[in-house]
Amino acid sequence: MRQELLSLPKTLADDVARNLVMVARLIDEEPEEAYAYSRIALRLASRVAAVREAAGFAAYANQKYSEALAEFRAARRMTGSAELWPVMADCERGMGRPERALAMAGEPEVRRLDKAGQVEMRLVAAGARRDMDQLDAAIVTLQSPELASNSVQPWTARLRYAYADALLAAGREDEAREWFAKAAESDKDGATDASDRLAELDGVEFVDALDDSEDTESTADTELGTAEAEAEADAETDADQAPDAEAESADADEAASPAESGEPRKDGSDQG
């Protein structure tokens, strides 16, 4: 990307780079803001392939599939690369054209993809089969050497998860449980919710810790309110008893103190 930006004047390249950085930072958590930054970069440098690609992913993250597909196609024309082929096919799915996505899965561009890209294309094709209510075909599509392999690759968890989900949709719950477990085992980065799906199948119910905290705070507030009320009641009682205490104190003053009567102190020493 930096190499592509060298074709621009330095000040313009810096401005475009800043916007692309913001797209990358925000696209997962704040996709709408990422999209806004991508539009600025696109306005500044629409002839840079990296900018068109970033704009495509920002649109894709906001489910603007037609716009995303147009940007991906533009980037592909500029670079001649096939690496965007799977996400382009997924845009076709998003636009309600799963049959087009399946057609793309059989085109020569797929053979130009690396292993990760081929697995991604398989996931898209299986999703298209499911879109068309072809569950058994989706399951068969996902059955591949990559799925059977015991080695863990960046795509392993997602591939196993998709297979488990397809099995569950087909009513094959025992097999689905097995593959959700395998997906969870290989998902070190939390890319899927395989652990939660596995727990659901096992009948485990989760309790929201935040709700427990709120309940605890509510109980503490109730107890604090009770304690304050009791303290106020005690204060009122002390106030009612104050006149009696003053009278007792006056009677005591009239009696001779131990010092005045020459009585010994409790510690044994004499007065005067």
Side-chain angles (χ1 to χ4, degrees):
M1 186 177 291
R2 184 179 297 111
Q3 185 67 31
E4 289 186 36
L5 293 178
L6 291 177
S7 63
L8 302 174
K10 186 178 187 310
T11 302
L12 179 59
D14 289 345
D15 289 342
V16 174
R18 290 189 186 96
N19 283 281
L20 293 180
V21 167
M22 294 308 296
V23 172
R25 286 182 177 178
L26 297 170
I27 194 165
D28 291 330
E29 302 297 331
E30 301 289 344
E32 292 183 1
E33 291 189 30
Y35 177 76
Y37 280 106
S38 76
R39 301 307 296 177
I40 296 173
L42 190 60
R43 187 172 67 250
L44 293 173
S46 62
R47 295 184 180 183
V48 176
V51 172
R52 303 302 290 265
E53 182 176 333
F57 277 111
Y60 180 84
N62 284 275
Q63 300 182 1
K64 300 177 182 291
Y65 298 116
S66 177
E67 183 178 327
L69 182 57
E71 297 299 341
F72 290 143
R73 283 174 174 168
R76 181 170 175 270
R77 285 195 300 269
M78 293 176 180
T79 63
S81 172
E83 65 179 9
L84 294 173
W85 197 253
V87 71
M88 290 170 62
D90 206 37
C91 286
E92 296 284 2
R93 283 186 60 210
M95 295 165 63
R97 302 191 299 220
E99 67 285 346
R100 177 57 188 151
L102 281 177
M104 292 179 68
E107 294 187 17
E109 282 80 359
V110 177
R111 292 193 293 272
R112 295 171 53 195
L113 298 171
D114 60 12
K115 182 63 67 177
Q118 291 177 1
V119 171
E120 195 67 33
M121 193 71 241
R122 189 177 294 276
L123 289 168
V124 173
R129 291 290 187 186
R130 292 190 62 174
D131 293 342
M132 300 167 68
D133 295 325
Q134 299 175 3
L135 283 175
D136 291 338
I139 291 170
V140 172
T141 300
L142 292 168
Q143 292 171 345
S144 61
E146 293 82 14
L147 179 67
S149 175
N150 290 324
S151 66
V152 176
Q153 302 295 334
W155 62 78
T156 300
R158 292 178 58 241
L159 182 59
R160 291 175 176 178
Y161 182 93
Y163 188 59
D165 194 46
L167 289 169
L168 187 61
R172 296 160 62 174
E173 186 171 315
D174 291 340
E175 294 174 82
R177 189 199 177 284
E178 176 187 352
W179 282 97
F180 275 128
K182 290 181 178 181
E185 181 182 358
S186 59
D187 191 2
K188 305 302 182 184
D189 299 326
T192 72
D193 63 346
S195 297
D196 293 342
R197 299 292 297 277
L198 182 61
E200 288 176 6
L201 288 174
D202 289 340
V204 177
E205 295 183 3
F206 293 97
V207 177
D208 194 335
L210 181 59
D211 291 342
D212 288 347
S213 176
E214 289 175 352
D215 291 342
T216 302
E217 290 177 1
S218 177
T219 301
D221 290 343
T222 301
E223 292 176 352
L224 179 60
T226 301
E228 290 176 348
E230 292 176 350
E232 290 176 0
D234 291 342
E236 292 176 358
T237 301
D238 291 343
D240 293 339
Q241 294 176 350
D244 295 337
E246 291 175 359
E248 291 176 0
S249 176
D251 293 341
D253 290 340
E254 292 177 358
S257 67
E260 292 173 345
S261 62
E263 294 178 0
R265 292 188 180 182
K266 291 181 180 179
D267 62 359
S269 61
D270 292 335
Q271 296 288 340

